[in-house]
Amino acid sequence: MAVSPVVWVLTLLGIVALLLFDYFFHVRSAHVPTLREAAIWSTVYVGIAVLFGLGTFVFGGTAMGSEYFAGYITEKALSVDNLFVFLIIMTSFRVPRENQQKVLLVGIVVSLIARAGFIFVGSALLNTFAWVFYLFGIALLVTAGNMLKPETEESHSAQNIVVRLSRRLFHTSEEYDGDRLTTVVDGRRMMTPMLLVMLAIGGTDLMFALDSIPAIFGLTQNVFVVFTATAFSLLGLRQLYFLLDGLLDRLIYLSFGLAAILAFIGAKLILHALHENNLPFVNGGDPVEVVEISTGLSLVVILIVLLITIFASLFSTRGRTQTAMAHIRRDATAYLDAEYTEDPAERERIFQRLLRARDHIAALGPQAKQQVRNETELMALCREVADAHAAAHPDHKIRPSL
């Protein structure tokens, strides 16, 4: 279905307005968002995306509406998986909690611009060369295979090529200067780590776009649906980051679910490529009669796989244990870092979360204890934080250290 230029302009203006609203009313004044604030605004942005999807059903028809929701859900799931990498990057750069919102919003804007470019280039290629469907399908199958490899925090690096090149070409200060991108040290203008972490997030977003765009083109070739589903999946990602903080490590099977979804979409793309085939060395250049997978079936498969993945992760003892280990490492480092935050409530929040993680590991049975790596080191971190908290709050009673 062709979409009129007026609808395109109105949609783009609406997206820009949401981004500006997000900046001026939430990000411009540096603060640590509460769980309630993150939950409310995450719900608002998901609600906006759903209302837009219902609008596509009404004005674009059932097929267009189904394509939008299939694309939106897939892109949203992929963006949640990407949040884990964002968390590692910001932890590596020791980004103050108050300034993490600004970093995320800049990352969202960069990601949206990059994806828009990839979408229009990809659409032009698909409309000109039918064999590109084969390439997209193979790319998704390869990505699905890579997602099955075991991943830990150590397997991700914040020092990507963009950051390494920036460090080599420009002078960089060791400390943050609020949320400024540059600062003056000893009379010399330098970049701050804030600019470097934004470059790291932006460079990582470019890599994510190479995976996500072929995935959504496997569900629809309608450029308007591809763009809007991608855009609305990114809007609200900042709030979702703070809402899911603490659960990201818990979703231990999410990568397996996403691998299954990407493999499914990759197979769907290859079947479509065979149906539209014009390569001379495949069936003599004639289309191959194959069964094509409908958008409705794709939507059902995506939803079922995601639900199974999420519930399996949330009710897994291994997932809770891995979350506890990750919380101890990150929360202990953050609490002992005087520059992590100036908000006493935030410091108390991560301290209480660390205690809960410590108690979880202490309560594990002998068989589950085998899943814990470096328990002695983790408990030593807990004791160090407990001592620091006791020194800062002599009137507080802390549950005994191990």
Side-chain angles (χ1 to χ4, degrees), residues 15 59 85 87 97 117 128 150 167 171-172 177 199 209 227 254 262 288 332 335 342 344 346 381 389 401-402:
I15 291 171
F59 297 104
V85 183
L87 176 62
R97 187 71 168 175
T128 306
R167 286 190 184 276
H171 296 292
T172 308
D177 185 6
L199 291 172
F227 175 78
L254 180 60
L262 292 181
V288 181
Y335 190 90
E342 297 179 358
E346 171 63 14
L381 281 173
H389 189 274
S401 301
L402 299 177

Side-chain angles (χ1 to χ4, degrees), residues 13 40 44 67 87 102 111 153 156-157 169 204 247 302 324 345 369 388:
L13 288 176
I40 290 173
V44 168
E67 290 173 356
L87 176 62
K102 187 172 186 179
S111 181
E153 292 189 27
H156 298 287
S157 174
L169 296 177
T204 305
L247 279 179
I302 291 168
K369 280 274 189 183

Side-chain angles (χ1 to χ4, degrees), residues 4 9 15 37 60 89 98 120 150-151 159 170-171 177 233 282 305 323 367 382 392:
S4 71
V9 171
I15 291 171
E37 177 186 342
I89 290 174
E98 290 84 350
F120 289 108
E151 289 189 340
Q159 301 295 327
F170 305 102
H171 296 292
D177 185 6
S233 72
V282 177
V305 171
T323 302
Q367 186 174 359
C382 291

Side-chain angles (χ1 to χ4, degrees), residues 35-61:
L35 183 63
R36 181 174 181 273
E37 177 186 342
I40 290 173
W41 285 106
S42 292
T43 303
V44 168
Y45 278 100
V46 170
I48 292 172
V50 171
L51 287 175
F52 187 89
L54 294 176
T56 61
F57 265 115
V58 173
F59 297 104

Side-chain angles (χ1 to χ4, degrees), residues 276-339:
E276 302 291 330
N277 178 67
N278 57 10
L279 293 178
F281 52 86
V282 177
N283 198 36
D286 296 325
V288 181
E289 292 298 326
V290 293
V291 176
E292 289 208 78
I293 301 171
S294 67
T295 303
L297 177 59
S298 300
L299 181 57
V300 171
V301 169
I302 291 168
L303 285 172
I304 290 175
V305 171
L306 284 178
L307 288 174
I308 293 174
T309 299
I310 291 170
F311 282 108
S313 297
L314 293 179
F315 290 101
S316 165
T317 300
R318 181 186 168 205
R320 291 194 294 271
T321 302
Q322 182 168 309
T323 302
M325 291 188 295
H327 283 178
I328 289 176
R329 292 192 185 96
R330 281 202 293 267
D331 291 345
T333 302
Y335 190 90
L336 296 172
D337 183 357
E339 297 183 358

Side-chain angles (χ1 to χ4, degrees), residues 6 34 52 92 100-101 112 130 147 171 174 221 229 234 396:
V6 174
T34 63
F52 187 89
S92 301
Q100 290 182 5
Q101 293 196 94
L112 187 55
M147 294 187 79
H171 296 292
E174 295 296 328
Q221 286 80 59
L234 292 173
H396 288 196

Side-chain angles (χ1 to χ4, degrees), residues 132-385:
V132 174
F133 284 107
Y134 285 113
L135 293 183
F136 279 11
I138 294 171
L140 289 181
L141 292 175
V142 171
T143 301
N146 289 334
M147 294 187 79
L148 295 176
K149 295 178 181 177
E151 289 189 340
T152 62
E153 292 189 27
E154 291 77 16
S155 66
H156 298 287
S157 174
Q159 301 295 327
N160 60 37
I161 187 171
V162 178
V163 175
R164 292 198 298 271
L165 185 61
S166 299
R167 286 190 184 276
R168 185 173 299 176
L169 296 177
F170 305 102
H171 296 292
T172 308
S173 65
E174 295 296 328
E175 304 297 332
Y176 288 88
D177 185 6
D179 60 356
R180 295 181 179 86
L181 303 183
T182 62
T183 188
V184 177
V185 179
D186 297 330
R188 299 176 65 186
R189 175 69 62 177
M190 294 184 175
M191 292 195 311
T192 67
M194 179 64 69
L195 183 55
L196 286 180
V197 72
M198 287 180 177
L199 291 172
I201 294 289
T204 305
D205 274 329
L206 291 176
M207 299 302 297
F208 291 154
L210 295 176
D211 295 336
S212 66
I213 297 307
I216 194 169
F217 268 121
L219 298 168
T220 177
Q221 286 80 59
N222 186 314
V223 178
F224 182 77
V225 172
V226 171
F227 175 78
T228 52
T230 301
F232 283 111
S233 72
L234 292 173
L235 293 173
L237 195 60
R238 176 186 62 79
Q239 294 86 348
L240 191 63
Y241 174 87
F242 291 96
L243 180 62
L244 294 183
D245 182 26
L247 279 179
L248 289 175
D249 299 286
R250 186 80 167 270
L251 300 175
I252 60 172
Y253 299 123
L254 180 60
S255 59
F256 295 103
L258 291 176
I261 290 172
L262 292 181
F264 173 80
I265 297 175
K268 183 177 186 294
L269 272 171
I270 291 175
L271 288 173
H272 182 72
L274 289 170
H275 190 267
E276 302 291 330
N277 178 67
N278 57 10
L279 293 178
F281 52 86
V282 177
N283 198 36
D286 296 325
V288 181
E289 292 298 326
V290 293
V291 176
E292 289 208 78
I293 301 171
S294 67
T295 303
L297 177 59
S298 300
L299 181 57
V300 171
V301 169
I302 291 168
L303 285 172
I304 290 175
V305 171
L306 284 178
L307 288 174
I308 293 174
T309 299
I310 291 170
F311 282 108
S313 297
L314 293 179
F315 290 101
S316 165
T317 300
R318 181 186 168 205
R320 291 194 294 271
T321 302
Q322 182 168 309
T323 302
M325 291 188 295
H327 283 178
I328 289 176
R329 292 192 185 96
R330 281 202 293 267
D331 291 345
T333 302
Y335 190 90
L336 296 172
D337 183 357
E339 297 183 358
Y340 170 71
T341 181
E342 297 179 358
D343 186 349
E346 171 63 14
R347 295 184 69 81
E348 184 65 22
R349 183 188 71 84
I350 62 173
F351 175 72
Q352 293 298 330
R353 190 170 70 175
L354 182 143
L355 289 184
R356 290 193 296 271
R358 181 202 67 179
D359 292 346
H360 171 80
I361 291 178
L364 290 174
Q367 186 174 359
K369 280 274 189 183
Q370 297 176 4
Q371 300 173 8
V372 181
R373 299 184 298 275
N374 302 323
E375 182 179 357
T376 303
E377 176 191 345
L378 294 177
M379 294 303 107
L381 281 173
C382 291
R383 286 192 292 272
E384 187 177 355
V385 172

